[in-house]
Amino acid sequence: MDREQQILALIRQNPFISQHEMATIIGISRSAVAGYIAVLTKKGTIRGRAYVTSDESTVMCIGGANLDSKAVSKQAIRLASSNPVTVSESCGGVARNIAETLAGISCRATLLTVVGDDKAGQWVLEETRKRGVDVSQSIVLQGEKTGTYTALLDDTGEMFLAFANMEIYNKCTPALLMDKWSHIAASKLVIADTNLPADTLKDLVRRCHEEAVPLFIDPVSSEKSKKLPQELAGVTAIFPNLEEACQLAGVEIDTTHDYGKLAEAIQARGVKHVFITLGSKGVMYQGEEGSQFFSPLPTNVVDVTGAGDAFVAGLAYGILHDSSYMEACSYGLAASHITLQTAQSVASELTEERLKQTITIKGD
């Protein structure tokens, strides 16, 4: 084993090992160890503090993890009246949903979020861990309440109204992000949602740009997308729906917009790859690989909740498996297609095998 590999092996065993300790174990000088570490850092094999090694398969998902309540109306919704509904509770949050979806399709996913020291927080983290996500970097905040999201869907499965109580995410400060930076920078890919505060998002975009860490952003909503900094040069890819795209492009919301021009306006802010998700119409891509409109797979829609999160996770799967961004869009559309056919925000039917089968069928 050469010296670089010996040092790397020691660091992987103990990320907090000192250069003196490594020098003693290997039998070389401390200055020689420092030289090898400098080379490994330059290569990108070691990133951040404490010599945390880059993990070429892990996706770090940063943002929301909530207790979701979903009420589905049994008939057409009547305002100012009592409506019969079916109510269910589940784990939610954009970043958390993406992490769970990635774990379900055999990707290594880590969730960085904040929850309260309440039963909801314990349950959300434990359920997420059970579903294959590493939650070791998530933080339980004493005296805080876990985020909640309550959605009302009409009898066709379309969202009618939603309520969000997510004050806890204001505690996800730039300082907290920096405390976790070594783990963030060591990931193959970072996916963040805009539940994070504006100053935290600004720091995240800047640091990812400076250290060449791939960063995907899910805008979550048109209101929350306002928290993104004007300069988005650190964002590798962004996934707005039409309303969010109009907000990011700085134009009035209008369904008659030229999707390509909207995407170009967002790209002009520094984003490398823009995917405007248009529901049943498909996806508009504009980026470094050109421009293309992708039609969706024919789908019998049961529930739209989670389809956008599934698209991001599916596309990330493609990128992690060396697809181009245009090619990876097919994985995103396939993941959405599978999710739309279930009542689950994160479809248990969405596995790596099912994803590949759906891609194959589409290719045929």
Side-chain angles (χ1 to χ4, degrees), residues 116-171:
D117 59 340
D118 48 21
K119 289 183 178 179
Q122 294 172 9
W123 185 73
V124 167
L125 289 185
E126 180 60 19
E127 286 299 307
T128 303
R129 185 192 63 78
K130 286 179 181 177
R131 296 172 195 181
V133 178
D134 176 6
V135 297
S136 63
Q137 298 308 309
S138 293
I139 300 168
V140 178
L141 297 176
Q142 300 300 310
E144 298 291 336
K145 291 187 178 297
T146 299
T148 59
Y149 176 82
T150 305
L152 172 61
L153 279 59
D154 64 22
D155 54 342
T156 68
E158 291 288 338
M159 184 189 295
F160 183 81
L161 189 64
F163 303 94
N165 180 9
M166 301 185 182
E167 292 297 313
I168 191 171
Y169 299 122
N170 292 330
K171 305 291 184 179

Side-chain angles (χ1 to χ4, degrees), residues 311-347:
F311 178 83
V312 176
L315 191 137
Y317 174 93
I319 295 302
L320 292 169
H321 290 79
D322 300 320
S323 296
S324 69
Y325 279 82
M326 281 193 177
E327 292 168 345
C329 191
S330 295
Y331 287 98
L333 288 168
S336 292
H337 167 72
I338 296 166
T339 302
L340 285 166
Q341 296 176 80
T342 76
Q344 301 166 305
S345 297
V346 179

Side-chain angles (χ1 to χ4, degrees), residues 40-41 43-62 110 112 137 176-191 203-204 206-215:
L40 288 167
T41 303
K43 288 180 178 179
T45 307
I46 293 175
R47 300 177 185 171
R49 294 176 294 171
Y51 309 136
V52 174
T53 56
S54 60
D55 188 329
E56 292 305 306
S57 61
T58 294
V59 181
M60 172 70 78
C61 300
I62 310 174
T110 297
L112 171 52
Q137 298 308 309
L176 182 149
L177 197 75
M178 291 308 104
D179 284 343
K180 299 290 185 178
W181 184 253
S182 58
H183 297 278
I184 296 169
S187 304
K188 175 75 170 179
L189 171 66
V190 176
I191 302 177
D203 274 15
L204 179 63
R206 177 183 58 80
R207 289 288 302 261
C208 285
H209 182 52
E210 291 174 351
E211 301 187 30
V213 178
L215 172 64

Side-chain angles (χ1 to χ4, degrees), residues 69-125:
S69 296
K70 186 190 301 182
V72 181
S73 182
K74 295 181 179 180
Q75 61 189 35
I77 292 173
R78 295 170 297 172
L79 295 176
S81 180
S82 177
N83 292 269
V85 298
T86 300
V87 179
S88 61
E89 287 189 336
S90 63
C91 298
V94 170
R96 198 217 67 86
N97 287 353
I98 292 171
E100 184 184 335
T101 304
L102 284 165
I105 53 178
S106 304
C107 295
R108 292 180 62 184
T110 297
L111 177 65
L112 171 52
T113 191
V114 288
V115 299
D117 59 340
D118 48 21
K119 289 183 178 179
Q122 294 172 9
W123 185 73
V124 167
L125 289 185

